[in-house]
Amino acid sequence: MLASACALAVLSGVAGLATAGDLGEFHLYDSGNANGPVARKLMVLAEDKDLAVLAHVDDAAVDLLMAHTPSRGGKLRLIWAHTGIGDASVARVDALLARYPGLMGELSSAPGSPAKAVRRVAPADPEIPERFLVGSTPGSMAAGGLTTT
């Protein structure tokens, strides 16, 4: 708990890296921020402590974050929030899943990628459905269910 609170205090003061109130979830608004010192340390810590990290990032940042781990992404458990955000192709999602065994796709809709992520990447690899998660994001829900735009 203390480590989480300390990490949150450090992370919340870093430009380009915003947390959602927990060590395990963050947003990178620019892929290049994945090369920042705090992002690098977070990836090493997560792999070392076997923590799952929920990252709101594009596909380029997935590669950058994975590269900062001791295993080069072989052991890190990274949940890619809104998989496909930033218009990653199905082939690109497939390639990332093949390269990183701990990468999981989270399929909630989000502003800028409403339900299209679900339509585009859900069938990307039907052999490994356990690597896709369905969540929800405040603001992505319409009265009566998920948005369908």
Side-chain angles (χ1 to χ4, degrees):
M1 184 78 158
L2 178 60
S4 181
C6 290
L8 179 59
V10 170
L11 293 174
S12 63
V14 176
L17 186 64
T19 63
D22 196 328
L23 174 64
E25 178 177 0
F26 63 92
H27 296 76
L28 290 178
Y29 296 109
D30 180 316
S31 298
N33 290 326
N35 284 324
V38 175
R40 289 173 182 260
K41 289 176 185 176
L42 179 61
M43 294 302 100
V44 170
L45 174 68
E47 185 172 288
D48 182 55
K49 302 296 182 187
D50 195 27
L51 301 171
V53 177
L54 176 62
H56 294 256
V57 298
D58 64 14
D59 60 306
V62 169
D63 275 325
L64 293 172
L65 292 170
M66 293 295 202
H68 299 313
T69 66
S71 70
R72 310 260 321 143
K75 295 180 183 176
L76 181 68
R77 294 185 304 141
L78 182 75
I79 303 167
W80 183 9
H82 318 295
T83 304
I85 199 166
D87 293 322
S89 68
V90 171
R92 175 70 170 145
V93 172
D94 280 342
L96 290 169
L97 287 166
R99 185 176 308 133
Y100 306 118
L103 179 62
M104 295 168 275
E106 189 276 327
L107 300 175
S108 67
S109 61
S113 68
K116 75 177 181 182
V118 174
R119 290 193 302 267
R120 285 190 25 227
V121 302
D125 194 340
E127 301 301 314
I128 53 170
E130 68 276 4
R131 289 182 62 192
F132 289 99
L133 310 166
V134 177
S136 64
T137 296
S140 67
M141 301 294 288
L146 286 173
T147 59
T148 58
T149 57

